[in-house]
Amino acid sequence: MIIKGASVFCEDGTFQVKDVFVEDHKIVATEAEVSDKTVVDANGYKLIPGLVDVHSHGACGHDFCDCDIEGVKEILRFEKAHGITSYCPTSMTLSKEMLVDIFATAKEADGIADGARVIGINMEGPFIAPEKKGAQNGAYIQAPSAETFRACQQASGGLIKLVTLAPEMEGSVEFIKELKDEVHISVGHTTADYDTAKAAFEAGADHVTHLYNAMPPLNHRAPGVIGAAADNNHVYAELISDGLHIHGSAIRAAFRMFGPERIVLISDSMMACGMENGEYELGGQKVFMKDRKATLADGTIAGSATCLYDCMKIAMSFDIPEADAIFAATRNPAKSIGVYDRVGSISVGKEADMLLVDDEYHLKQVF
């Protein structure tokens, strides 16, 4: 396939009008390497990398924790149709036995032609603080355990790329030091102060789970996780830019604090994403969604009902520069979990996961 005349988003953050060549769903350097000469006329359109969502629980009426292979396939189809071509199904706080069964479904569901590719699993629980559990089920919270993690990793076939912990939990630093070379470790759902979070990042944690949410706020005398993460340049910070979880001013402040290289836009979407207003579930708990806002019965926000593509557009509406928003939904998440060699940019040798969009970011075609 030859995509002709598009304004292509390049790795330096500029758009350049040029042709892109695809062979066997890989980007190649020249037309001579292409056997299928089908031409896509992309004149007047932008070509950007397919989006990479490293934190999403579900969509279209299905949840990863349903432990349903066909349901996961439907999620992957929904995601690709909405511009998310690489995806990390994300678990909730459940028992080890339940998680083992759930994680096995990801490798079984991957590889469908009309769906997003599974580039990893995000293990969000159960190593979290009860005080900051949010919409997670507190009955299954446990201290960080290498044995529990490795049982889940074995069941997943090695797909777990990211695991969340609250660093104030007993054994957290030991867990980080033991596993930092096996999985990316994210600080989240935590009451940690600055020094505790700093110790976790210095031990090898390199990610923050949905910055601002489920953690103490940034305070001038108690900067907490937010301040510690900003001070450690190897740490990536997730942001839910759905227009509901975080005010636009705080989104802009995060981009300034961390720089455009370290912000990872996520959806944190749950099964209500793409659905009508109504009653749904998240990790076995009832969730009520109205006008994209999903909450538990007590009003606690329970994930989002917005896909990553719309979160990227909302970030742009908050005056985040176009290139920074694209990087935060493509390059940065791919780098944050170590898959940038495969996805996250339009580069020779990578998967040909690309989106054709108009100037107003209406999605025209997904490759």
Side-chain angles (χ1 to χ4, degrees), residues 218-237:
L218 177 69
N219 180 281
H220 63 293
R221 292 193 185 95
V225 173
I226 300 168
D231 283 347
N232 283 268
N233 290 331
H234 70 289
V235 176
Y236 289 88

Side-chain angles (χ1 to χ4, degrees), residues 252-266:
R252 291 188 291 274
F255 272 85
R256 287 194 294 269
M257 277 192 293
F258 286 83
E261 300 83 11
R262 294 201 285 145
I263 293 294
V264 172
L265 293 181
I266 61 166

Side-chain angles (χ1 to χ4, degrees), residues 59-280:
C60 62
H62 299 281
D63 189 301
F64 179 44
C65 287
D66 291 341
C67 200
D68 173 18
I69 293 170
E70 293 306 314
V72 176
K73 288 180 180 179
E74 287 303 310
I75 294 169
L76 297 177
R77 291 186 180 102
F78 174 91
E79 296 296 332
K80 185 171 182 178
H82 290 80
I84 297 91
T85 56
S86 295
Y87 186 76
C88 286
T90 302
S91 62
M92 295 287 288
T93 295
L94 297 166
S95 70
K96 181 180 79 172
E97 293 73 23
M98 296 165 76
L99 290 172
V100 163
D101 290 340
I102 290 162
F103 289 152
T105 64
K107 61 183 178 183
E108 297 291 333
D110 190 24
I112 55 174
D114 57 347
R117 67 182 74 252
V118 176
I119 50 157
I121 291 172
N122 183 338
M123 184 176 176
E124 191 178 7
F127 311 136
I128 63 174
E131 301 89 343
K132 291 291 184 180
K133 69 181 187 299
Q136 307 266 359
N137 190 333
Y140 296 108
I141 290 173
Q142 68 169 91
S145 161
E147 187 276 330
T148 295
F149 168 77
R150 288 192 172 120
C152 292
Q153 183 69 299
Q154 182 177 4
S156 77
L159 277 173
I160 301 174
K161 299 290 187 184
L162 195 60
V163 59
T164 293
L165 60 71
E168 69 273 26
M169 300 278 280
E170 184 178 353
S172 291
V173 170
E174 292 79 7
F175 179 95
I176 294 168
K177 289 180 177 178
E178 181 174 349
L179 293 170
K180 64 182 175 63
D181 295 326
E182 298 179 32
V183 66
H184 294 274
I185 298 170
S186 188
V187 171
H189 286 279
T190 176
T191 63
D193 60 14
Y194 178 91
D195 290 334
T196 303
K198 179 173 180 282
F201 296 132
E202 290 178 345
D206 60 4
H207 201 97
V208 177
T209 301
H210 41 54
L211 191 79
Y212 297 123
N213 298 112
M215 64 184 62
L218 177 69
N219 180 281
H220 63 293
R221 292 193 185 95
V225 173
I226 300 168
D231 283 347
N232 283 268
N233 290 331
H234 70 289
V235 176
Y236 289 88
E238 297 178 352
L239 282 179
I240 309 171
S241 181
D242 64 349
L244 298 168
H245 277 76
I246 308 170
H247 191 280
S249 178
I251 295 283
R252 291 188 291 274
F255 272 85
R256 287 194 294 269
M257 277 192 293
F258 286 83
E261 300 83 11
R262 294 201 285 145
I263 293 294
V264 172
L265 293 181
I266 61 166
S267 69
D268 197 15
S269 66
M270 45 82 69
M271 65 163 58
C273 182
M275 303 293 286
E276 300 293 326
N277 290 342
E279 182 179 314
Y280 299 93

Side-chain angles (χ1 to χ4, degrees), residues 1 9 39 43-44 65 98 123 232 256 266 272 280 283 298-299 303-304 306 316 322:
M1 180 174 61
F9 186 73
V39 172
N43 255 301
C65 287
M98 296 165 76
M123 184 176 176
N232 283 268
R256 287 194 294 269
I266 61 166
Y280 299 93
D298 65 2
S304 89
T306 306
M316 292 179 191
E322 179 182 22

